[in-house]
Amino acid sequence: MIITAVRTHILEAKLSQPFAYSRAWYDTRTAMVVEIETDAGLIGWGECYGPARMTAAVVQSVAPWLIDEDPLRTDYLWQMIYARLRDHGQKGVVIEGLSGIDIALWDIKGKHFCVPAHRLLGGPLRTEVQAYATGLYRRKSGDPLRYLAEEAAGYTAEGFKAVKLKVGFGVEEDAAVTRAVREAIGPDVALMVDANHAYDAVAAIRLGRMIEPYDIGWFEEPVPPEDVAGYRAVKAALSIPVAGGECEFTRFGFRDLLVSQAIDIIQPDTCAAGGLSECKKIADMAEAFGVRYNPHVWGTGIAIAASLQLLAVLPAHTPVSLAPIQPMLEFDRTEHPIRQSLLVQPIEHTGGIVRVPDGPGLGIEVDRDALARFTVR
């Protein structure tokens, strides 16, 4: 079996209303999907996190290197692409492009052997995963103290046992909103906060101390990813676990992050940090360092499926015991027309629990009509 074609699909959909996180407003959702075809008729699907046109350019540039190669040689192909671009792409969009390619190759590999990708990654430790609801962004109108509390209460009514709040809008406002959301969801639902690196260490520590009484599960990206010393300062000052890593890449980047002892919970994005091949290596390394791993997920059903295949094989956060703490799926609940339409059978939750797809490869089927509908011409 050899690779005969590599295609990129840039997708875009307008939103009914814009929403904001700490650094930007969104009025459009985009995605970049990779399709790899073989002479055996098998097709693999992957997704790249990051700027769609840039990651598409990376994949299109790499595509000629993949033609006539054996798609089952996933490690060889990963190393070949990385080595040829090492001088220019150890991080960022090059690795994001490589991630989408790698995920598509694992989809082909699973289909070839007629098993889910997680069977080839070592076999599942779990067949279903607790999800946490990611949402609680800012809107153009209304009082965030009210609409965010109502939105959070809605997630708990759906059965979610954990929710994540976007902060980074000013320390005092963040503290007030965190209190309102905690009061809305009650004491038994986990609450995490995510600043999307909007603060320096001084402001992040001040906010962290103000919200510590609200039993925060983790404080995500309190400072910019380059500021490892700032991460260490925040971690040392707070009882809240510090999370981050969606802006880090490959085992080499995470090696340095783990050695720094700056983060309690790492959050590689499977569609950005190097794909399934690399993220499994990162997970094994994190376990050796005693650091928890909860993947960042922000994309279509392809990204969710790839993350679930990885989550099936991730070690528990705690050593083997009768009641281990398990990794969770980040389950984006914001408006995303592409996510909801791209799969023939969208990935849904039941009471906050999501089953790992058990079909061959990623266990999904892409809806070609939806793909065409959202493709940017």
Side-chain angles (χ1 to χ4, degrees):
M1 182 169 59
I2 61 170
I3 296 169
T4 55
V6 179
R7 304 183 185 94
T8 59
H9 304 274
I10 299 173
L11 312 179
E12 187 175 290
K14 294 290 288 185
L15 300 178
S16 62
Q17 61 177 327
F19 63 86
Y21 70 123
S22 63
R23 295 182 297 109
W25 283 92
Y26 282 99
D27 63 5
T28 304
R29 295 298 291 262
T30 60
M32 210 294 282
V33 169
V34 179
E35 177 186 5
I36 298 181
E37 186 174 354
T38 72
D39 65 342
L42 296 179
I43 290 175
W45 296 96
E47 183 171 345
C48 301
Y49 179 62
R53 294 187 184 277
M54 292 184 183
T55 56
V58 170
V59 174
Q60 290 161 8
S61 298
V62 167
W65 306 346
L66 295 170
I67 302 303
D68 294 332
E69 292 285 356
D70 179 353
L72 302 183
R73 299 179 71 194
T74 46
D75 266 12
Y76 164 77
L77 294 175
W78 197 102
Q79 296 289 352
M80 180 267 289
I81 294 170
Y82 183 82
R84 291 179 72 167
L85 293 173
R86 174 181 267 121
D87 291 356
H88 314 287
Q90 298 170 26
K91 298 179 185 290
V93 292
V94 167
I95 305 303
E96 290 169 344
L98 175 53
S99 300
I101 291 169
D102 182 77
I103 291 167
L105 294 174
W106 276 96
D107 193 25
I108 290 171
K109 184 183 284 192
K111 290 171 178 175
H112 175 75
F113 290 108
C114 299
V115 294
H118 62 68
R119 287 277 172 193
L120 303 175
L121 288 165
L125 300 177
R126 59 192 65 83
T127 58
E128 59 184 27
V129 182
Q130 181 179 324
Y132 69 87
T134 283
L136 304 173
Y137 288 75
R138 296 301 195 271
R139 306 173 191 174
K140 287 286 189 182
S141 61
D143 180 1
L145 290 174
R146 180 172 180 176
Y147 66 70
L148 291 173
E150 291 174 350
E151 182 183 344
Y155 295 141
T156 64
E158 292 178 36
F160 284 101
K161 300 297 189 295
V163 301
K164 188 166 74 178
L165 168 69
K166 290 295 184 175
V167 296
F169 296 88
V171 171
E172 287 76 15
E173 178 177 333
D174 287 345
V177 167
T178 303
R179 177 180 178 178
V181 169
R182 170 52 76 197
E183 290 175 349
I185 63 177
D188 299 326
V189 174
L191 173 61
M192 294 80 77
V193 300
D194 181 1
N196 292 109
H197 48 85
Y199 291 127
D200 64 6
V202 174
I205 291 169
R206 181 164 173 257
L207 173 60
R209 287 174 174 164
M210 292 174 73
I211 63 177
E212 275 179 321
Y214 307 130
D215 189 19
I216 304 302
W218 70 64
F219 190 169
E220 184 170 333
E221 288 200 310
V223 298
E226 304 92 337
D227 187 9
V228 177
Y231 266 101
R232 282 199 299 266
V234 175
K235 182 172 177 281
L238 302 179
S239 62
I240 302 171
V242 173
E246 71 186 68
C247 298
E248 192 53 84
F249 304 89
T250 77
R251 81 201 86 150
F252 308 113
F254 280 95
R255 172 197 61 196
D256 296 341
L257 198 59
L258 291 165
V259 167
S260 74
Q261 298 184 321
I263 294 182
D264 297 297
I265 302 163
I266 60 167
Q267 299 172 305
D269 190 301
T270 312
C271 298
L276 287 167
S277 295
E278 195 70 355
C279 286
K280 180 61 168 64
K281 295 178 175 71
I282 294 168
D284 292 339
M285 188 165 56
E287 183 183 21
F289 276 85
V291 173
R292 298 181 178 188
Y293 184 135
N294 268 310
H296 174 263
V297 188
W298 180 259
T300 75
I302 297 173
I304 297 170
S307 301
L308 284 166
Q309 295 297 325
L310 180 67
L311 277 159
V313 303
L314 286 184
H317 287 331
T318 48
V320 175
S321 66
L322 295 179
I325 299 173
Q326 306 285 359
M328 293 189 292
L329 170 69
E330 179 171 18
F331 208 45
D332 176 23
R333 308 314 294 154
T334 58
E335 182 184 2
H336 194 335
I338 305 170
R339 181 190 65 226
Q340 296 306 109
S341 303
L342 191 58
L343 302 187
V344 172
Q345 290 187 313
I347 296 171
E348 302 290 359
H349 77 97
T350 301
I353 302 295
V354 179
R355 291 195 60 79
V356 177
D358 58 4
L362 298 182
I364 55 172
E365 181 182 353
V366 171
D367 186 323
R368 290 277 184 182
D369 291 337
L371 187 72
R373 188 164 69 251
F374 292 112
T375 296
V376 177
R377 304 299 177 187

